[in-house]
Amino acid sequence: MNKLNKEWHLHHRMPKNTTLEQRIQWHLEHKQNCACRDIPQKLKEEIRKRKPGKS
Ligand SMILES: [Zn+2]
C-alpha cells in the first residue's frame, strides 16, 4: 500500500540540481512523512557511511 502524502510533496519538491547531501536530507524527511517510495539502495549506503558508530 502506498501512502502518498500529497501535502508534504507539494511543499517538498525535489530540486533539479540537488547535491547528494540534499537528496539524503530529502529522503530522510520524506521517509518520516510519506511512504510512497523507499530510499534508493545507493542512497541508503551513503547514509550509512555518514552515520558511523551504529555497529
Ligand atoms: Zn512520498
Side-chain angles (χ1 to χ4, degrees):
M1 234 205 288
N2 283 352
K3 284 189 203 164
L4 177 70
N5 189 341
K6 213 174 168 186
E7 194 71 13
W8 189 89
H9 274 274
L10 277 175
H11 295 286
H12 295 81
R13 295 263 174 88
M14 176 96 77
K16 273 220 163 143
N17 297 312
T18 46
T19 62
L20 188 61
E21 291 295 335
Q22 285 175 309
R23 280 172 63 201
I24 288 172
Q25 200 54 46
W26 189 94
H27 272 285
L28 288 176
E29 276 181 42
H30 177 249
K31 206 186 163 188
Q32 288 177 3
N33 292 283
C34 179
C36 75
R37 65 189 193 144
D38 208 2
I39 300 176
Q41 195 58 40
K42 254 196 165 176
L43 227 56
K44 274 186 190 169
E45 281 168 29
E46 289 297 329
I47 292 167
R48 260 212 337 243
K49 279 187 212 163
R50 269 139 229 267
K51 286 184 181 171
K54 227 185 164 189
S55 76

